[in-house]
């Protein structure tokens, strides 16, 4: 199988270099949101006009603003008030991430099913990242949420390639191997192309490096622990990881025993967060 994986890897990389396989681009609404975010003269009214053109995204932003994550004591029903509660930076990162959901769709049933599974897992991880960030770091929860939503973005070009090569698509074991090996570096490449913050760009390739050494806790650490949390108790390889060997826990100041009382205290908050982003 390794020869097949190497061959597919080489073909995908060659196709990208020769513009035969185009890396995904951000949805238009996400591009417009980031343009507003980069404009020092922009205000919430401009941001509201951009997001307001997408009814689905507007509804999700309002939902987050009313969620237990914000511990709000008054319900919000309109977008402008939701943006005031969230703030410019928080809203821009959240909107960018949530707008990506439309990218995780395909015409092929097999690819569409895989993409939807990836998005559902990414949404779970994003919610957990938000909670862990608030309780264990001084990092930004909006950036943590974005990191969770994009950590598997490198799957997109691999599945685009697979759609054009049906023999790979029906060989799920080989396809899984290719995804495992390529989604990290491809994800970094995509986020770099999108001009994402440096500490987010490394997340796709670093979040599965369980023995990674770093000077301090970062967004990759949050995604690592959130991903393990989302797989806890299932029969996947990630559900069978020895947490004591995962260095991210130490940098976050967390007990690797995720069944501890400390983790139990956060379980309801994590469940609420996962629900918000799905």
């Amino acid at each position: 199988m390794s020869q097949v994986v190497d061959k597919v890897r080489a073909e995908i990389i060659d196709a990208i270099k020769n513009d035969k396989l185009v890396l995904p681009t951000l949805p238009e609404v996400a591009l417009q949101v980031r343009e507003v975010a980069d404009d020092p003269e922009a205000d919430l009214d401009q941001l509201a006009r951009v997001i307001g053109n997408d009814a689905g995204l507007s509804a999700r932003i309002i939902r987050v603003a009313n969620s237990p994550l914000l511990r709000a004591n008054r319900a919000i029903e309109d977008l402008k008030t939701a943006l005031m509660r969230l703030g410019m930076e928080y809203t821009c990162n959240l909107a960018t991430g949530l707008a990506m959901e439309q990218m995780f769709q395909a015409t092929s049933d097999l690819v569409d099913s895989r993409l939807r599974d990836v998005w559902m897992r990414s949404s779970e991880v994003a919610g957990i990242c938000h909670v862990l960030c608030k309780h264990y770091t001084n990092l930004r929860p909006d950036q943590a949420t974005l990191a969770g939503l994009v950590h598997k973005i490198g799957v997109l070009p691999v599945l685009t390639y697979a759609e054009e090569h049906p023999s790979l698509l029906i060989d799920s074991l080989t396809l899984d191997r290719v995804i495992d090996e390529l989604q990290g570096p491809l994800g970094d490449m995509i986020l770099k192309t999108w001009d994402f913050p440096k500490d987010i760009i490394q997340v796709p390739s670093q979040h599965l490096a369980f023995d990674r050494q770093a000077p301090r806790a970062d967004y990759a650490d949050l995604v690592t622990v959130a991903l393990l949390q989302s797989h806890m108790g299932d029969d996947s390889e990630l559900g069978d990881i020895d947490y004591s060997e995962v260095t991210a826990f130490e940098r976050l100041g967390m007990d690797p025993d995720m069944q501890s009382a400390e983790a139990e205290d956060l379980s309801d908050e994590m469940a609420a967060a996962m629900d918000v982003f799905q």
Side-chain angles (χ1 to χ4, degrees):
M1 182 185 292
S2 60
Q3 289 182 332
V4 176
V5 173
D6 290 342
K7 177 177 178 291
V8 173
R9 181 199 300 112
E11 288 181 357
I12 290 177
I13 292 173
D14 183 66
I16 291 172
K17 286 181 178 178
N18 292 294
D19 294 327
K20 295 178 181 177
L21 181 64
V22 179
L23 291 175
T25 57
L26 279 170
E28 184 62 28
V29 65
L31 290 172
Q32 293 175 355
V33 164
R34 293 185 69 77
E35 186 176 339
V36 172
D38 291 338
D39 181 359
E41 303 297 322
D43 57 25
L44 289 178
D45 286 326
Q46 289 173 261
L47 186 58
R49 283 195 292 272
V50 170
I51 295 175
N53 289 325
D54 187 315
L57 182 57
S58 298
R60 297 189 73 178
I61 295 291
I62 293 171
R63 185 183 180 197
V64 172
N66 283 315
S67 73
L69 296 178
L70 277 294
R71 294 196 172 96
N73 54 17
R74 181 173 60 85
I76 285 175
E77 297 181 359
D78 66 285
L79 180 61
K80 179 66 180 298
T81 308
L83 301 192
M84 292 173 64
R85 177 173 289 177
L86 295 171
M88 180 75 84
E89 287 186 332
Y90 192 114
T91 302
C92 287
N93 280 320
L94 181 63
T96 298
L98 292 177
M100 291 180 197
E101 182 175 9
Q102 62 189 266
M103 302 171 66
F104 288 80
Q105 299 174 16
T107 53
S108 159
D109 288 343
L110 281 174
V111 173
D112 192 64
S113 176
R114 277 181 172 266
L115 286 175
R116 290 183 185 280
D117 287 344
V118 170
W119 179 255
M120 184 171 293
R121 179 71 63 183
S122 298
S123 299
E124 289 183 4
V125 170
I128 299 172
C129 280
H130 189 287
V131 175
L132 294 178
C133 183
K134 288 199 304 180
H135 287 274
Y136 292 100
T137 77
N138 292 318
L139 299 171
R140 290 171 45 186
D142 57 312
Q143 294 272 48
T145 301
L146 184 60
L149 289 171
V150 303
H151 79 280
K152 296 284 280 187
I153 198 71
V155 170
L156 289 175
V158 178
L159 289 179
T160 298
Y161 174 90
E163 256 191 317
E164 299 169 0
H165 297 78
S167 59
L168 176 61
L169 196 57
I170 61 176
D171 183 357
S172 59
L173 289 178
T174 301
L175 182 54
D176 286 340
R177 281 281 302 277
V178 173
I179 287 173
D180 288 344
E181 294 197 19
L182 287 188
Q183 69 88 20
L186 286 177
D188 289 3
M189 190 185 305
I190 292 167
L191 297 183
K192 187 174 182 180
T193 301
W194 290 351
D195 198 27
F196 269 41
K198 290 181 180 179
D199 46 2
I200 302 292
I201 288 174
Q202 67 168 353
V203 167
S205 64
Q206 297 297 309
H207 74 279
L208 290 177
F210 297 132
D211 60 350
R212 187 171 68 97
Q213 299 300 313
R216 63 189 66 84
D218 56 21
Y219 294 107
D221 287 333
L222 289 169
V223 172
T224 297
V225 174
L227 183 63
L228 293 176
Q229 173 78 25
S230 76
H231 279 280
M232 189 168 61
D234 67 22
D235 57 0
S236 68
E237 288 186 19
L238 290 173
D240 197 37
I241 295 292
D242 181 354
Y243 299 154
S244 66
E245 298 181 0
V246 179
T247 58
F249 284 99
E250 182 178 357
R251 283 190 293 276
L252 291 172
M254 292 183 64
D255 185 344
D257 179 9
M258 287 204 275
Q259 300 289 356
S260 67
E262 187 177 28
E264 287 294 316
D265 289 342
L266 295 180
S267 60
D268 289 344
E269 192 174 347
M270 287 180 179
M274 287 187 285
D275 181 61
V276 166
F277 295 112
Q278 289 183 355

